[in-house]
Amino acid sequence: MKEIKAADISAAVARMCMSANTKLPDDVRRKFEEGYKNETSEAGREIFRQLLENADLAFETKLPLCQDCGLAVFYVEMGEDVVVPGGINKAITEGMVTGYKDGFLRKSSCDPLTRKNTGDNTPAIIHIDLVPGDRLKISYMAKGGGSENMSRVTMLAPSQGWEGIKKFVVTRVAEAGPNPCPPIILGIGIGGTFEYAPKIAKKALLRKLDDVHPDPQIAAMEAELLAEVNKLGIGPMGLGGSYTCLAVKIAIAPCHIASLPLAVNVQCHSARHEEVEF
Amino acid sequence: MPTYSLNTPLTDADIEKLRAGDMVLLNGIIYSGRDAAHKKLSDLLDQGKPLPFDLKGASIYYVGPSPAPPGRPIGSAGPTTSYRMDAYAPRLYSLGLKASIGKGKRADAVKQAMRDFKGVYFGATGGAGALLSKCITASKVIAFDELGPEAVREMTVKDFPLLVINDAFGGELYAKPNLEE
């Protein structure tokens, strides 16, 4: 068994929350630079220019990249031989609360009916997968509400297949239009069950924007969907242009013979996530 | 692209010269308000009570800023998605609101209210909250402090960069998606 101290986990999580909200990931920055160079619309290029300036300023001043510092979502891969005295959930939550407080990050969590703010961004949304071995990997994502609101889950009929999946995704992006802060990133979950499809869709958003899926068939599907979505011409902030979407990331899981679950998790351009390993 | 420098409170004459696509540098006092604050403003109106600020000529910024770190008037402060305020906006325009500031599409009822009562809808760049905060030189909570990030703030802005998304004549800047049907 490997023992990992809760205090070490909390400290690392606090650092991740503060860092991820102020430093744009390098792969996202590279896409902005590419867009600033290649976007066909002048208004769109101006948006990329502002986003690059915003990223520089956030890094220098430690102001959050976006005022919506999100609900704090964690994907945890925890080895079956790992022990965290005091508990992993508590360790992550305490780190998140500290990070959001000390980093002057916005607390965006509220009661769904009274709308009263919980005051400390709790609860952290924590997904734990038990894996063989003694490693612990914690990925953090600051998930903003604007893009989350544009996300959808649907249960397609198996007969609708890939064509039905494409149609649903493209229509969803078209209907969302300027609302989710394009250029967006799409996490697509295909298969699983009603709750599993969105779980893997969101996890797919943790991938690097410029990686290529190891399965060539899925890689081709991602490229096809990206091209289809970018034909919409919505452009940066909906002002028109060729960059509506920066990347499509697909995750696939077996599903029931009766079902074709599909989840479309929309991520805004401010794709803030980091990970830490113990 | 025409660029106008405007001072708040805005007048009918200011609004009448604006067309979708124009750029505006806004100066003066604006008020922050988003979901929960709009509900409270609406409740006050229902009860016949005064609002925490004068709506005549006012500009409301749909924003919930991050907390101000020491030495700064405000934290990161970019726009939130506007459609969630569509249920409240027509009434506010009818009572003198001249501009709302946010991002994303508006409902037809809001666009109609802007035509009927001479109003505009400005877009600010979403996800550029650190950059936009540089244009906010002062900020204080004037109502609903208990709402935290959603409290109503009086903000002083200097050359706040905005695009006219919807004008008072039915014009709209947003591109229609190329959907093959």
Side-chain angles (χ1 to χ4, degrees):
Chain A
M1 295 303 268
K2 178 166 125 186
E3 186 176 307
I4 302 175
K5 285 191 185 126
D8 292 346
I9 293 172
S10 295
V13 166
R15 272 198 305 276
M16 271 204 299
C17 292
M18 290 190 274
S19 166
N21 274 288
T22 53
K23 184 185 180 300
L24 194 70
D26 291 340
D27 56 322
V28 181
R29 189 185 177 90
R30 282 197 294 277
K31 284 283 177 194
F32 286 4
E33 284 165 352
E34 181 197 308
Y36 180 51
K37 207 168 119 200
N38 297 336
E39 168 56 59
T40 52
S41 88
E42 196 186 324
R45 280 197 304 280
E46 167 60 17
I47 296 296
F48 279 119
R49 190 197 66 73
Q50 291 176 20
L51 296 182
L52 286 164
E53 194 183 341
N54 185 66
D56 290 341
L57 190 69
F59 186 67
E60 286 161 21
T61 60
K62 302 302 169 205
L63 282 174
L65 288 154
C66 178
Q67 72 290 337
D68 184 352
C69 306
L71 290 195
V73 179
F74 295 89
Y75 279 87
V76 180
E77 290 173 16
M78 184 165 175
E80 284 159 342
D81 299 331
V82 170
V83 177
V84 180
I88 182 82
N89 282 310
K90 186 159 175 274
I92 290 174
T93 299
E94 287 182 359
M96 185 278 287
V97 168
T98 302
Y100 273 68
K101 181 165 167 283
D102 293 355
F104 295 91
L105 306 180
R106 197 182 79 184
K107 292 80 180 170
S108 306
S109 178
C110 73
D111 181 282
L113 295 173
T114 67
R115 311 305 296 179
K116 184 175 161 45
N117 198 296
T118 65
D120 56 7
N121 218 45
T122 55
I125 310 290
I126 305 172
H127 305 286
I128 299 181
D129 282 328
L130 284 175
V131 297
D134 65 358
R135 71 188 184 92
L136 175 66
K137 179 173 158 187
I138 303 173
S139 303
Y140 158 72
M141 178 191 293
K143 191 65 178 75
S147 58
E148 196 76 345
N149 281 342
M150 295 298 109
S151 304
R152 293 291 185 273
V153 187
T154 188
M155 305 298 280
L156 298 177
S159 64
Q160 289 175 277
W162 174 235
E163 289 305 313
I165 290 168
K166 274 195 299 184
K167 187 174 179 197
F168 186 86
V169 174
V170 172
T171 305
R172 176 78 301 256
V173 175
E175 284 170 2
N179 291 4
C181 280
I184 55 171
I185 298 146
L186 291 171
I188 311 284
I190 303 173
T193 45
F194 178 72
E195 87 288 3
Y196 196 67
K199 186 179 161 181
I200 59 174
K202 177 161 272 137
K203 193 175 184 188
L205 291 171
L206 295 172
R207 283 170 51 197
K208 297 278 183 213
L209 297 189
D210 47 10
D211 75 356
V212 177
H213 199 285
D215 180 331
Q217 194 189 343
I218 298 176
M221 288 159 67
E222 290 177 347
E224 187 181 348
L225 254 183
L226 179 65
E228 292 282 323
V229 165
N230 277 328
K231 276 192 217 158
L232 290 170
I234 292 166
M237 292 314 293
L239 301 176
S242 47
Y243 280 79
T244 298
C245 183
L246 299 175
V248 175
K249 302 296 172 189
I250 296 178
I252 287 191
C255 60
H256 194 283
I257 51 174
S259 302
L260 177 49
L262 171 63
V264 183
N265 201 180
V266 181
Q267 168 66 53
C268 65
H269 59 70
S270 198
R272 295 150 289 170
H273 56 87
E274 282 192 17
E275 61 188 47
V276 65
E277 281 204 57
F278 292 87
Chain B
M1 183 198 316
T3 301
Y4 297 97
S5 183
L6 297 179
N7 295 305
T8 62
L10 297 174
T11 64
D12 283 357
D14 291 328
I15 302 301
E16 282 166 0
K17 64 185 174 194
L18 298 177
R19 296 292 183 278
D22 290 352
M23 187 166 180
V24 167
L25 298 172
L26 195 63
N27 291 279
I29 301 283
I30 64 174
Y31 301 95
S32 76
R34 45 173 292 159
D35 307 66
H38 272 74
K39 172 78 168 71
K40 289 203 175 245
L41 293 174
S42 178
D43 290 347
L44 288 176
L45 289 171
D46 287 345
Q47 295 158 13
K49 291 182 180 163
L51 298 186
F53 59 93
D54 186 2
L55 269 180
K56 194 172 158 38
S59 300
I60 294 185
Y61 184 20
Y62 302 147
V63 61
S66 61
R72 286 188 174 270
I74 200 158
S76 194
T80 193
T81 323
S82 304
Y83 74 89
R84 300 191 314 269
M85 274 54 76
D86 284 354
Y88 309 102
R91 187 182 195 182
L92 299 181
Y93 279 110
S94 79
L95 295 171
L97 180 72
K98 284 289 140 200
S100 55
I101 303 167
K103 67 172 172 90
K105 294 177 284 190
R106 304 312 301 265
D108 288 342
V110 181
K111 296 176 197 172
Q112 185 62 47
M114 289 189 273
R115 285 197 288 270
D116 291 345
F117 306 106
K118 291 194 171 63
V120 289
Y121 167 50
F122 293 124
T125 301
L131 188 59
L132 288 167
S133 77
K134 285 210 305 187
C135 303
I136 302 173
T137 57
S139 170
K140 65 174 178 193
V141 172
I142 58 166
F144 319 139
D145 195 24
E146 70 279 9
L147 296 180
E150 297 200 73
V152 171
R153 289 168 172 80
E154 183 186 276
M155 298 173 164
T156 308
V157 290
K158 185 166 172 16
D159 293 336
F160 197 55
L162 303 170
L163 282 170
V164 178
I165 303 293
N166 293 102
D167 60 34
F169 307 95
E172 170 154 355
L173 179 61
Y174 285 136
K176 284 256 181 301
N178 307 316
L179 257 190
E180 294 160 19
E181 285 304 332

